[in-house]
Amino acid sequence: MSRLVVVGVQWGDEGKGKMTDYLAQNADVVVRYQGGNNAGHTIKFDGQKFALQSIPSGIFNPHIKNVMANGMVINPKAALGELDGLAERGIKNYQLFISDRAAVIMPYHMMLDGAYENLKGGKLIGTTKKGIGPAYCDKYSRIGIRMGDLLEPEYFAERLKDALVQKNMELAMLGLETMDFDTLYNEYIAYGERLRPYICDTSVLLNQEVEKDSKILFEGAQGVMLCIEHGTYPFVTSSSPTAASVPLNTGIAPRFIDHALGICKAYTTRVGEGPFPTELHDDLAHYIRERGNEYGTVTKRPRRVGYLDAVALRHACRVSGINYLSLMLFDVLSGVETLKICNRYMLNGEEIDYVPGTLSLYEKCEPVYVEMPGWKEELDNVTDFEQLPQTAKDYVAKIEELTNTKVVVVSVGPDRTQTIMRENIF
Ligand code: GDP
Ligand code: IMO
Ligand code: MG
């Protein structure tokens, strides 16, 4: 299997960074294909911890070609900040390729992200305020700036002038300060100059790699339940993390995508607002949050915590064509007396086994659980699946049964070494 997509199958923060870094030890290319610095991907190895936001998780290995593909929204200032931060920690020897077609996140996108949220009053989405939604809006409104534009001074000036006509009108309407063309122009031309060595047509590069049968990992951000198409709309992000979005967002053909690995926590978390049928508000939520260090990588917000939701998982696996699951943060559940997995929703007095398409219905769904005994033993030093307590193995088997998908990885800690591979899939 040469080309594998790493997809979060819940509401983000499932451990995609850890698994991408782990699998990248065998990869030639790692590609981020959507989202931007709303993501926070944590990676731990050799006693070091990194939190990447827009830079692909293969950046630590000098042999890997890291691609930021056309489907991303890139904040050049933030990306340069990440690269500077990596350089300070000795990560200077890497290969990075940034698509000339990727959308640029401009300062007005961040201002508008905050302002639009404030307008929603009690119904705010709880975005990361990184300007993701407004940047994707401009891309589709055809007034967006693209990374390649930053390398063409005259063309960039024209694009920025046109964009500012609309953007300054919006800012003024919202009572915000308007933006000065010269200041923005000079700042962004300078970012373009610094990023010039990396900016290219990444579709050409990726197709060359496909031709060589290179091993390519596609690193999704967010999760399927936050997908603009298949997530809990409108409480979603503005891109699609599904495997289906990879061809469009990278410029390679669908036939070159071999398999998708779903990254799934052994329980559920969500950061930001929106429906969450299995959410817990009791001592158990606190227990899991503290053991799993469930605080946002980007915004530091405490993550909402709940039981595993197999209805949502089946939905996510279906719409993203998940072949295998990687079960993360498994160690966190030690000490939980009874584990529950939601296998149906109760909606208006009837049991259903699908995710309703409208928020008003989804908000009414109550979880119907199957229960299983937990285990007491700490698992962070377990290296072999057979060493797991029987009840832990049963929990894994139950997840496989309820999702009809094989669990090929069990992760028992944040470090690269704390990974139990049951089958070599890459
Ligand atoms: P991502 O956005 O999907 O890459 O996930 P995040 O990095 O935002 O959040 C996952 C968190 O769980 C990070 O703090 C990881 O270091 C941590 N983590 C990943 N796998 C495991 C695991 O198996 N056990 C524990 N205890 N922590 C893990
Ligand atoms: P990773 O890749 C968890 C959530 C935000 C908010 C909603 C919309 O680390 O898993 P946005 O800023 O994208 O417009 O916010 O999506 N969100 C994430 N939650 N992990 C992420 O990324 C997220 N990226 C966005 O909290 O609810
Ligand atoms: Mg994260």
Side-chain angles (χ1 to χ4, degrees):
M1 191 192 305
S2 294
R3 289 164 299 261
L4 180 70
V5 190
V6 172
V7 184
V9 287
Q10 294 160 312
W11 279 279
D13 302 327
E14 300 92 344
K16 298 173 295 290
K18 173 186 162 159
M19 274 321 291
T20 305
D21 167 71
Y22 180 86
L23 295 166
Q25 296 173 89
N26 283 329
D28 302 304
V29 185
V30 175
V31 189
R32 268 284 308 267
Y33 57 90
Q34 42 73 233
N37 59 331
N38 48 347
H41 293 183
T42 317
I43 291 155
K44 277 191 174 178
F45 58 90
D46 298 343
Q48 298 196 78
K49 179 176 164 178
F50 296 91
L52 297 173
Q53 292 193 241
S54 54
I55 304 296
S57 295
I59 202 74
F60 307 103
N61 184 336
H63 304 295
I64 292 181
K65 294 187 170 76
N66 288 279
V67 176
M68 295 165 72
N70 56 279
M72 285 189 76
V73 282
I74 299 173
N75 177 330
K77 184 181 182 184
L80 283 163
E82 277 189 86
L83 292 176
D84 290 343
L86 287 168
E88 274 166 29
R89 296 178 64 184
I91 314 293
K92 295 178 187 167
N93 185 13
Y94 48 75
Q95 300 181 60
L96 181 64
F97 304 85
I98 301 176
S99 171
D100 51 5
R101 271 94 163 161
V104 179
I105 300 177
M106 300 293 287
Y108 45 78
H109 293 136
M110 287 176 277
M111 293 165 73
L112 292 171
D113 197 350
Y116 287 137
E117 277 283 87
N118 292 337
L119 281 184
K120 292 195 184 104
K123 291 209 163 154
L124 83 173
I125 292 172
T127 75
T128 57
K129 303 214 170 120
K130 301 288 181 187
I132 306 297
Y136 275 117
C137 274
D138 279 4
K139 166 176 171 160
Y140 286 99
S141 302
R142 294 157 293 181
I143 57 158
I145 310 283
R146 309 208 296 183
M147 290 303 291
D149 301 352
L150 303 180
L151 307 181
E152 307 260 344
E154 278 172 29
Y155 181 64
F156 174 51
E158 212 179 288
R159 293 293 299 164
L160 183 61
K161 253 182 215 141
D162 289 348
L164 277 183
V165 171
Q166 284 191 33
K167 294 292 119 181
N168 275 339
M169 219 181 269
E170 265 180 79
L171 291 170
M173 215 164 60
L174 291 159
L176 297 170
E177 213 171 302
T178 56
M179 306 218 86
D180 174 56
F181 170 84
D182 288 329
T183 314
L184 266 187
Y185 175 82
N186 291 326
E187 186 182 345
Y188 279 74
I189 279 287
Y191 296 144
E193 274 318 303
R194 273 198 68 194
L195 291 169
R196 185 181 286 278
Y198 309 117
I199 298 174
C200 61
D201 186 335
T202 52
S203 163
V204 171
L205 172 109
L206 285 171
N207 281 278
Q208 283 164 353
E209 295 297 325
V210 167
E211 208 140 287
K212 285 194 276 180
D213 204 25
S214 298
K215 297 190 86 160
I216 308 180
L217 268 182
F218 297 94
E219 177 182 9
Q222 291 81 50
V224 177
M225 297 310 285
L226 287 171
C227 171
I228 186 78
E229 302 288 340
H230 300 289
T232 48
Y233 193 89
F235 292 98
V236 293
T237 190
S238 300
S239 66
S240 173
T242 63
S245 92
V246 171
L248 179 68
N249 286 343
T250 64
I252 70 166
R255 68 177 182 278
F256 296 134
I257 306 298
D258 294 327
H259 285 98
L261 173 68
I263 311 297
C264 177
K265 270 180 182 164
Y267 45 95
T268 311
T269 62
R270 173 164 204 168
V271 59
E273 304 307 315
F276 182 177
T278 62
E279 184 170 12
L280 290 163
H281 297 283
D282 55 8
D283 290 350
L284 183 55
H286 180 75
Y287 181 79
I288 292 176
R289 185 176 300 115
E290 294 312 308
R291 278 182 65 89
N293 188 26
E294 293 295 357
Y295 294 89
T297 315
V298 177
T299 55
K300 313 291 172 216
R301 290 175 286 182
R303 293 181 187 139
R304 299 158 67 194
V305 172
Y307 289 118
L308 200 64
D309 183 341
V311 183
L313 271 182
R314 284 193 292 268
H315 171 89
C317 288
R318 184 184 77 247
V319 300
S320 197
I322 298 295
N323 307 86
Y324 307 101
L325 284 173
S326 182
L327 200 57
M328 312 301 290
L329 293 107
F330 199 64
D331 52 301
V332 173
L333 293 183
S334 299
V336 179
E337 211 169 289
T338 304
L339 290 165
K340 296 187 189 180
I341 305 177
C342 168
N343 194 38
R344 292 282 187 274
Y345 297 142
M346 189 62 88
L347 174 64
N348 297 329
E350 253 180 72
E351 269 194 20
I352 61 166
D353 70 350
Y354 59 88
V355 173
T358 36
L359 184 69
S360 64
L361 291 178
Y362 200 34
E363 275 173 339
K364 286 194 200 134
C365 286
E366 295 287 339
V368 180
Y369 288 113
V370 293
E371 294 193 7
M372 308 193 62
W375 57 91
K376 288 202 167 60
E377 298 87 334
E378 291 294 348
L379 306 181
D380 47 335
N381 287 320
V382 174
T383 51
D384 181 352
F385 188 78
E386 290 312 316
Q387 290 169 2
L388 290 174
Q390 188 56 46
T391 46
K393 283 192 232 169
D394 292 345
Y395 187 63
V396 175
K398 189 53 130 183
I399 293 167
E400 292 185 313
E401 178 198 320
L402 298 182
T403 58
N404 197 23
T405 308
K406 181 144 196 219
V407 172
V408 292
V409 183
V410 177
S411 173
V412 291
D415 196 84
R416 210 186 254 174
T417 55
Q418 293 171 300
T419 313
I420 304 173
M421 282 303 279
R422 299 176 72 197
E423 194 178 308
N424 191 10
I425 56 153
F426 185 66

